[in-house]
Structures are given as C-alpha cells and as structure tokens.
Coordinates of all heavy atoms in Angstrom, one line a residue:
L1 N 109.3 97.1 109.6 CA 110.5 97.1 108.9 C 111.4 98.3 109.1 O 112.6 98.3 109.0 CB 110.3 97.0 107.3 CG 109.7 95.7 106.8 CD1 109.4 95.8 105.3 CD2 110.7 94.6 107.1
Y2 N 110.7 99.5 109.4 CA 111.5 100.7 109.5 C 111.3 101.3 110.9 O 111.1 102.5 111.0 CB 111.0 101.7 108.4 CG 111.2 101.1 107.1 CD1 110.2 100.7 106.3 CD2 112.5 100.9 106.5 CE1 110.4 100.1 105.1 CE2 112.7 100.3 105.3 CZ 111.6 99.9 104.6 OH 111.8 99.4 103.4
L3 N 111.3 100.5 111.9 CA 111.1 100.9 113.3 C 112.0 102.1 113.6 O 113.2 102.0 113.5 CB 111.3 99.7 114.2 CG 110.9 100.0 115.7 CD1 109.4 100.4 115.8 CD2 111.2 98.7 116.5
G4 N 111.4 103.2 114.0 CA 112.2 104.3 114.5 C 112.7 105.2 113.3 O 113.2 106.3 113.6
Q5 N 112.5 104.9 112.1 CA 112.9 105.7 110.9 C 111.7 106.5 110.4 O 110.6 106.0 110.3 CB 113.4 104.8 109.8 CG 114.7 104.1 110.1 CD 115.2 103.3 108.9 OE1 114.5 102.4 108.4 NE2 116.3 103.7 108.3
V6 N 112.0 107.7 110.1 CA 111.0 108.5 109.4 C 111.1 108.2 107.9 O 112.1 108.3 107.3 CB 111.3 110.0 109.5 CG1 110.3 110.9 108.7 CG2 111.2 110.4 111.0
I7 N 110.0 107.7 107.3 CA 110.0 107.3 105.9 C 109.1 108.2 105.1 O 109.0 108.1 103.9 CB 109.6 105.8 105.7 CG1 108.2 105.5 106.3 CG2 110.7 104.9 106.4 CD1 107.7 104.2 106.0
T8 N 108.4 109.1 105.7 CA 107.6 110.1 105.0 C 107.5 111.4 105.8 O 107.5 111.4 107.0 CB 106.2 109.6 104.7 OG1 105.5 110.6 103.9 CG2 105.4 109.3 105.9
Y9 N 107.4 112.5 105.1 CA 107.1 113.8 105.7 C 105.7 114.3 105.4 O 105.4 115.4 105.6 CB 108.2 114.8 105.3 CG 109.6 114.4 105.9 CD1 110.5 113.7 105.1 CD2 109.9 114.6 107.2 CE1 111.7 113.3 105.7 CE2 111.1 114.3 107.8 CZ 112.0 113.6 107.0 OH 113.2 113.2 107.5
C10 N 104.9 113.4 104.9 CA 103.5 113.8 104.6 C 102.7 113.8 105.9 O 102.8 112.9 106.7 CB 102.9 112.8 103.6 SG 103.7 112.7 102.0
D11 N 101.9 114.9 106.0 CA 101.1 114.9 107.2 C 99.8 114.3 107.1 O 99.0 114.1 108.0 CB 100.9 116.4 107.7 CG 100.1 117.2 106.7 OD1 99.6 116.7 105.8 OD2 100.1 118.5 106.9
G12 N 99.4 113.9 105.8 CA 98.2 113.1 105.6 C 97.0 114.0 105.4 O 95.9 113.6 105.1
V13 N 97.2 115.3 105.6 CA 96.1 116.3 105.4 C 96.4 117.3 104.3 O 95.8 117.3 103.2 CB 95.7 117.0 106.7 CG1 94.6 118.0 106.5 CG2 95.4 116.0 107.8
E14 N 97.4 118.1 104.6 CA 97.8 119.1 103.6 C 98.8 118.5 102.6 O 98.8 118.9 101.4 CB 98.4 120.3 104.3 CG 97.4 121.1 105.1 CD 97.9 122.4 105.6 OE1 98.9 123.0 105.0 OE2 97.4 122.8 106.6
T15 N 99.6 117.6 103.0 CA 100.6 116.9 102.1 C 100.2 115.4 102.2 O 100.5 114.8 103.2 CB 102.0 117.1 102.6 OG1 102.3 118.5 102.7 CG2 103.0 116.5 101.6
M16 N 99.6 115.0 101.1 CA 99.2 113.6 101.1 C 100.2 112.7 100.4 O 100.9 113.1 99.5 CB 97.8 113.5 100.3 CG 96.7 114.2 101.0 SD 95.2 114.2 100.1 CE 94.7 112.5 100.2
S17 N 100.2 111.5 100.9 CA 101.2 110.5 100.3 C 100.6 109.9 99.0 O 99.4 110.0 98.8 CB 101.4 109.4 101.3 OG 100.3 108.5 101.4
D18 N 101.5 109.2 98.3 CA 101.0 108.5 97.1 C 100.0 107.4 97.4 O 99.2 107.1 96.6 CB 102.2 107.9 96.3 CG 103.0 109.0 95.6 OD1 102.5 110.1 95.4 OD2 104.1 108.7 95.1
H19 N 100.1 106.9 98.6 CA 99.2 105.8 99.1 C 97.8 106.4 99.2 O 96.8 105.8 98.8 CB 99.6 105.2 100.4 CG 100.9 104.5 100.4 ND1 101.0 103.2 99.9 CD2 102.2 104.8 100.7 CE1 102.2 102.8 100.0 NE2 103.0 103.8 100.5
Q20 N 97.7 107.6 99.8 CA 96.4 108.2 100.0 C 95.7 108.6 98.7 O 94.5 108.6 98.6 CB 96.5 109.4 100.9 CG 96.9 109.1 102.3 CD 97.1 110.4 103.1 OE1 98.2 111.0 103.0 NE2 96.1 110.8 103.8
T21 N 96.5 108.9 97.7 CA 95.9 109.3 96.4 C 95.7 108.1 95.5 O 95.2 108.3 94.4 CB 96.8 110.3 95.7 OG1 98.1 109.7 95.3 CG2 97.1 111.6 96.5
G22 N 96.0 106.9 95.9 CA 95.8 105.8 95.1 C 96.9 105.5 94.1 O 96.7 104.7 93.2
H23 N 98.1 106.2 94.3 CA 99.2 106.0 93.3 C 100.3 105.1 93.8 O 101.4 105.1 93.2 CB 99.7 107.4 92.9 CG 98.8 108.2 92.1 ND1 97.8 109.0 92.6 CD2 98.6 108.2 90.7 CE1 97.2 109.5 91.6 NE2 97.6 109.0 90.4
A24 N 100.1 104.5 95.0 CA 101.2 103.7 95.6 C 100.5 102.5 96.4 O 99.4 102.7 96.9 CB 102.1 104.5 96.4
I25 N 101.3 101.4 96.4 CA 100.9 100.3 97.3 C 102.1 99.8 98.0 O 103.3 100.0 97.6 CB 100.3 99.1 96.4 CG1 101.4 98.6 95.5 CG2 99.0 99.6 95.8 CD1 101.0 97.2 94.9
D26 N 101.9 99.1 99.1 CA 102.9 98.3 99.8 C 102.5 96.9 99.7 O 101.3 96.6 99.8 CB 103.1 98.8 101.2 CG 103.7 100.1 101.4 OD1 104.6 100.4 100.6 OD2 103.3 100.9 102.3
F27 N 103.5 96.0 99.6 CA 103.2 94.6 99.5 C 104.2 93.8 100.2 O 105.3 94.3 100.6 CB 103.2 94.1 98.0 CG 104.5 94.2 97.3 CD1 105.3 93.0 97.3 CD2 105.0 95.3 96.7 CE1 106.6 93.0 96.7 CE2 106.2 95.3 96.1 CZ 107.0 94.2 96.1
F28 N 103.9 92.5 100.5 CA 104.9 91.6 101.0 C 104.6 90.2 100.4 O 103.6 90.0 99.7 CB 104.9 91.5 102.5 CG 103.6 90.9 103.1 CD1 103.6 89.6 103.5 CD2 102.5 91.7 103.3 CE1 102.4 89.0 104.0 CE2 101.3 91.1 103.9 CZ 101.3 89.8 104.2
T29 N 105.5 89.3 100.5 CA 105.4 88.0 100.0 C 105.1 87.0 101.1 O 105.5 87.2 102.2 CB 106.6 87.6 99.1 OG1 107.7 87.5 100.0 CG2 106.9 88.6 98.0
V30 N 104.5 85.9 100.7 CA 104.2 84.8 101.6 C 104.9 83.6 101.1 O 104.6 83.2 99.9 CB 102.7 84.6 101.8 CG1 102.4 83.4 102.7 CG2 102.0 85.9 102.4
G31 N 105.7 82.9 101.9 CA 106.4 81.7 101.4 C 105.5 80.5 101.5 O 104.3 80.6 101.9
F32 N 106.0 79.4 101.0 CA 105.3 78.2 101.0 C 104.8 77.7 102.3 O 103.7 77.1 102.4 CB 106.1 77.0 100.3 CG 106.3 77.3 98.8 CD1 107.5 77.6 98.4 CD2 105.2 77.2 97.9 CE1 107.8 77.8 97.0 CE2 105.4 77.4 96.6 CZ 106.7 77.7 96.1
G33 N 105.5 78.1 103.4 CA 105.0 77.7 104.7 C 104.0 78.6 105.3 O 103.6 78.5 106.5
G34 N 103.6 79.6 104.6 CA 102.6 80.6 105.0 C 103.1 81.8 105.8 O 102.4 82.6 106.4
Q35 N 104.4 81.8 105.9 CA 105.1 82.9 106.7 C 105.5 84.1 105.7 O 105.8 83.8 104.6 CB 106.3 82.4 107.4 CG 106.1 81.3 108.4 CD 105.2 81.8 109.5 OE1 105.4 82.9 110.1 NE2 104.2 81.0 109.9
A36 N 105.4 85.3 106.2 CA 105.9 86.4 105.4 C 107.3 86.3 105.1 O 108.1 85.8 105.8 CB 105.7 87.7 106.2
D37 N 107.7 86.6 103.8 CA 109.0 86.5 103.3 C 109.5 87.8 102.8 O 109.0 88.3 101.7 CB 109.0 85.4 102.2 CG 110.4 85.2 101.6 OD1 111.4 85.9 102.0 OD2 110.5 84.3 100.8
Y38 N 110.3 88.5 103.6 CA 110.8 89.8 103.2 C 112.2 89.8 102.5 O 112.8 90.8 102.4 CB 110.8 90.7 104.4 CG 109.5 91.1 105.0 CD1 109.0 90.4 106.1 CD2 108.7 92.0 104.4 CE1 107.8 90.7 106.6 CE2 107.4 92.3 104.9 CZ 107.0 91.7 106.0 OH 105.7 92.0 106.5
T39 N 112.6 88.6 102.1 CA 114.0 88.6 101.5 C 114.0 89.3 100.2 O 113.0 89.5 99.5 CB 114.4 87.1 101.2 OG1 113.5 86.5 100.3 CG2 114.4 86.3 102.5
A40 N 115.2 89.9 99.9 CA 115.3 90.6 98.7 C 114.9 89.8 97.4 O 114.3 90.3 96.5 CB 116.7 91.1 98.5
A41 N 115.3 88.5 97.4 CA 115.0 87.7 96.3 C 113.5 87.6 96.1 O 113.0 87.7 94.9 CB 115.6 86.3 96.5
A42 N 112.7 87.3 97.1 CA 111.3 87.2 97.0 C 110.6 88.5 96.6 O 109.8 88.6 95.7 CB 110.7 86.7 98.3
M43 N 111.0 89.6 97.2 CA 110.5 90.9 96.9 C 110.8 91.4 95.5 O 110.0 91.9 94.8 CB 110.9 92.0 97.9 CG 110.6 91.6 99.4 SD 108.8 91.5 99.7 CE 108.5 93.2 100.2
T44 N 112.0 91.1 95.0 CA 112.4 91.4 93.7 C 111.6 90.6 92.7 O 111.2 91.1 91.6 CB 113.9 91.2 93.5 OG1 114.6 92.0 94.4 CG2 114.4 91.5 92.1
A45 N 111.3 89.3 93.0 CA 110.5 88.5 92.1 C 109.1 89.1 91.9 O 108.6 89.1 90.8 CB 110.5 87.1 92.6
V46 N 108.5 89.5 93.0 CA 107.2 90.1 92.9 C 107.3 91.4 92.1 O 106.4 91.7 91.3 CB 106.6 90.3 94.3 CG1 105.3 91.1 94.2 CG2 106.3 89.0 94.9
Y47 N 108.3 92.2 92.4 CA 108.4 93.5 91.7 C 108.5 93.3 90.2 O 107.9 94.0 89.4 CB 109.6 94.3 92.2 CG 110.0 95.3 91.1 CD1 109.2 96.4 90.9 CD2 111.2 95.1 90.4 CE1 109.6 97.3 89.9 CE2 111.5 96.1 89.4 CZ 110.7 97.2 89.2 OH 111.0 98.0 88.2
S48 N 109.3 92.2 89.8 CA 109.4 92.0 88.4 C 108.1 91.7 87.7 O 107.9 92.0 86.5 CB 110.5 90.9 88.1 OG 110.0 89.6 88.6
C49 N 107.2 91.0 88.4 CA 105.8 90.8 87.9 C 105.1 92.1 87.7 O 104.4 92.3 86.7 CB 105.1 89.8 88.8 SG 105.8 88.2 88.9
F50 N 105.2 93.0 88.7 CA 104.5 94.3 88.6 C 105.1 95.1 87.4 O 104.4 95.7 86.7 CB 104.7 95.1 89.9 CG 103.7 94.8 91.0 CD1 104.1 94.1 92.1 CD2 102.4 95.2 90.9 CE1 103.2 93.8 93.1 CE2 101.5 95.0 91.9 CZ 101.9 94.3 93.0
A51 N 106.4 95.0 87.3 CA 107.1 95.8 86.2 C 106.6 95.3 84.8 O 106.4 96.1 83.9 CB 108.6 95.6 86.3
E52 N 106.5 93.9 84.7 CA 106.1 93.4 83.4 C 104.6 93.8 83.1 O 104.3 94.2 82.0 CB 106.2 91.9 83.4 CG 105.8 91.2 82.1 CD 106.0 89.7 82.1 OE1 106.7 89.2 83.0 OE2 105.5 89.1 81.1
A53 N 103.8 93.7 84.1 CA 102.4 94.1 84.0 C 102.3 95.5 83.6 O 101.5 95.9 82.7 CB 101.6 93.8 85.2
A54 N 103.0 96.4 84.3 CA 103.0 97.8 84.0 C 103.4 98.1 82.6 O 102.8 98.9 81.9 CB 103.9 98.6 85.0
M55 N 104.5 97.5 82.1 CA 104.9 97.6 80.8 C 103.9 97.2 79.8 O 103.6 97.9 78.8 CB 106.2 96.8 80.5 CG 106.8 97.1 79.2 SD 108.3 96.1 78.9 CE 107.7 94.4 78.9
N56 N 103.2 96.1 80.0 CA 102.2 95.6 79.1 C 101.0 96.5 79.1 O 100.3 96.6 78.0 CB 101.7 94.2 79.5 CG 102.8 93.2 79.2 OD1 103.7 93.3 78.4 ND2 102.7 92.1 80.0
L57 N 100.8 97.3 80.1 CA 99.6 98.2 80.2 C 100.0 99.6 79.8 O 99.2 100.5 79.8 CB 99.0 98.2 81.6 CG 98.4 96.9 82.1 CD1 98.1 96.9 83.6 CD2 97.1 96.7 81.3
G58 N 101.3 99.8 79.5 CA 101.8 101.2 79.1 C 101.9 102.1 80.3 O 101.8 103.3 80.1
L59 N 102.1 101.6 81.5 CA 102.2 102.4 82.7 C 103.7 102.4 83.1 O 104.5 101.6 82.8 CB 101.4 101.8 83.8 CG 99.9 101.6 83.6 CD1 99.3 100.8 84.7 CD2 99.3 103.0 83.4
V60 N 104.0 103.5 83.9 CA 105.4 103.6 84.4 C 105.3 103.5 86.0 O 104.4 104.2 86.6 CB 106.0 105.0 84.0 CG1 107.4 105.1 84.6 CG2 106.0 105.1 82.5
I61 N 106.1 102.6 86.5 CA 106.1 102.5 88.0 C 107.5 102.8 88.5 O 108.5 102.7 87.8 CB 105.6 101.1 88.5 CG1 106.5 100.0 87.9 CG2 104.1 100.9 88.1 CD1 106.1 98.6 88.5
K62 N 107.5 103.1 89.8 CA 108.8 103.3 90.5 C 108.8 102.3 91.7 O 107.8 102.3 92.5 CB 108.9 104.7 91.0 CG 110.2 105.1 91.7 CD 110.2 106.6 92.1 CE 111.4 107.0 92.8 NZ 111.3 108.4 93.2
W63 N 109.9 101.6 91.8 CA 110.0 100.6 92.9 C 110.9 101.1 94.0 O 112.0 101.7 93.8 CB 110.6 99.3 92.3 CG 110.8 98.2 93.3 CD1 109.9 97.8 94.2 CD2 111.9 97.3 93.3 NE1 110.4 96.7 94.9 CE2 111.6 96.4 94.3 CE3 113.0 97.2 92.6 CZ2 112.5 95.3 94.7 CZ3 113.9 96.1 92.9 CH2 113.6 95.2 93.9
G64 N 110.5 100.9 95.2 CA 111.2 101.3 96.4 C 112.6 100.6 96.5 O 113.5 101.0 97.2
G65 N 112.8 99.5 95.8 CA 114.1 98.8 95.8 C 115.1 99.6 95.0 O 116.3 99.3 95.1
N66 N 114.7 100.6 94.2 CA 115.6 101.4 93.5 C 115.8 102.8 94.1 O 116.4 103.6 93.5 CB 115.1 101.6 92.0 CG 115.1 100.3 91.2 OD1 116.0 99.5 91.5 ND2 114.2 100.2 90.3
Y67 N 115.3 103.0 95.3 CA 115.6 104.3 96.0 C 117.0 104.4 96.3 O 117.7 103.4 96.6 CB 114.8 104.4 97.3 CG 113.3 104.5 97.1 CD1 112.5 104.5 98.2 CD2 112.7 104.8 95.9 CE1 111.1 104.6 98.1 CE2 111.3 104.9 95.8 CZ 110.5 104.8 96.9 OH 109.2 105.0 96.8
G68 N 117.6 105.6 96.2 CA 119.0 105.8 96.5 C 119.3 105.9 98.0 O 120.3 105.3 98.5
S69 N 118.4 106.5 98.8 CA 118.7 106.8 100.2 C 118.4 105.5 101.1 O 119.1 105.4 102.1 CB 117.9 108.0 100.7 OG 116.5 107.8 100.5
F70 N 117.4 104.7 100.8 CA 117.1 103.5 101.5 C 116.3 102.6 100.7 O 115.7 103.1 99.7 CB 116.4 103.9 102.8 CG 115.0 104.3 102.6 CD1 113.9 103.5 102.7 CD2 114.7 105.7 102.3 CE1 112.6 103.9 102.5 CE2 113.4 106.1 102.1 CZ 112.4 105.2 102.2
E71 N 116.3 101.3 101.0 CA 115.5 100.4 100.3 C 114.1 100.2 100.9 O 114.0 100.1 102.1 CB 116.2 99.0 100.2 CG 117.3 99.0 99.3 CD 117.8 97.5 99.1 OE1 117.7 96.7 100.1 OE2 118.4 97.2 98.1
D72 N 113.1 100.3 100.1 CA 111.7 100.0 100.5 C 111.2 98.9 99.6 O 110.4 99.2 98.7 CB 110.9 101.3 100.5 CG 109.5 101.1 101.1 OD1 109.2 99.9 101.5 OD2 108.7 102.0 101.2
L73 N 111.7 97.7 99.7 CA 111.4 96.7 98.7 C 109.9 96.4 98.5 O 109.6 95.9 97.5 CB 112.2 95.4 99.2 CG 113.7 95.5 99.2 CD1 114.2 94.1 99.7 CD2 114.3 95.9 97.9
G74 N 109.1 96.7 99.5 CA 107.7 96.4 99.3 C 106.8 97.5 98.9 O 105.7 97.6 99.1
H75 N 107.5 98.5 98.2 CA 106.7 99.7 97.8 C 106.8 99.9 96.3 O 107.9 99.8 95.7 CB 107.3 101.0 98.5 CG 106.7 102.2 98.0 ND1 105.6 102.7 98.7 CD2 107.0 103.1 97.1 CE1 105.2 103.9 98.1 NE2 106.1 104.1 97.1
I76 N 105.6 100.2 95.7 CA 105.6 100.5 94.3 C 104.7 101.8 94.1 O 103.6 101.8 94.7 CB 105.0 99.4 93.4 CG1 106.0 98.2 93.5 CG2 104.7 99.8 92.0 CD1 105.5 97.0 92.8
S77 N 105.2 102.7 93.3 CA 104.4 103.9 93.0 C 104.1 104.0 91.5 O 105.0 103.7 90.7 CB 105.2 105.2 93.4 OG 105.4 105.3 94.8
L78 N 102.9 104.5 91.2 CA 102.6 104.7 89.8 C 103.0 106.1 89.5 O 102.7 107.1 90.2 CB 101.0 104.6 89.7 CG 100.5 104.9 88.3 CD1 100.9 103.9 87.3 CD2 98.9 104.9 88.4
I79 N 103.8 106.3 88.4 CA 104.2 107.6 87.9 C 103.3 108.1 86.8 O 103.0 107.4 85.9 CB 105.7 107.5 87.4 CG1 106.6 106.8 88.4 CG2 106.2 108.8 86.9 CD1 106.7 107.5 89.7
G80 N 102.7 109.2 87.0 CA 101.8 109.8 86.1 C 100.4 109.3 86.4 O 100.1 108.7 87.4
E81 N 99.5 109.6 85.4 CA 98.1 109.2 85.6 C 97.7 108.0 84.7 O 98.4 107.8 83.7 CB 97.2 110.4 85.2 CG 97.4 111.6 86.1 CD 96.9 111.4 87.6 OE1 96.0 110.6 87.8 OE2 97.6 111.9 88.5
V82 N 96.7 107.4 85.1 CA 96.2 106.2 84.3 C 95.2 106.8 83.2 O 94.4 107.6 83.4 CB 95.5 105.2 85.2 CG1 94.9 104.1 84.3 CG2 96.4 104.7 86.2

C-alpha cells in the first residue's frame, strides 16, 4: 500500500515499533468473493468493531485512519497498558 514511502523511522533494535512491543496490529478485510478489500468503507467498518470492543473493555486505541499526515486504514495501536 505504501510502496516507496517511509512509514516508520524505527530501526527495530534500539527504537522498536508498536508492532514489535505488541501494542499495534495491521489488518485488512476480505470481501465476499475472497479478495482483499482495502476500500475506506470496508476498513472503517472493521475499525468501528475494534473501537466498540476497545470501549467495552475500557481500552483506548488509535486508528491509522485518523492520522493527520497520511492514512493507514489498516493500522490500530493500543494507547497505554492493558
């Protein structure tokens, strides 16, 4: 999705990403035909399920669809500790 774009400055050793620490995931959706569906509508629908579940569990998440500099619709980070 981000071919040629730098999306992290983490080196993976000294500066670890939220993915490495277990505080972030990337996801995608699969349509009825079995094909990946990266449309904003599909990704937003999945995010809304994550948001509802987080709220019910008393967790705070940050969605890549709300980033100001670029959209990363398939990214969710956990804010704080569980």
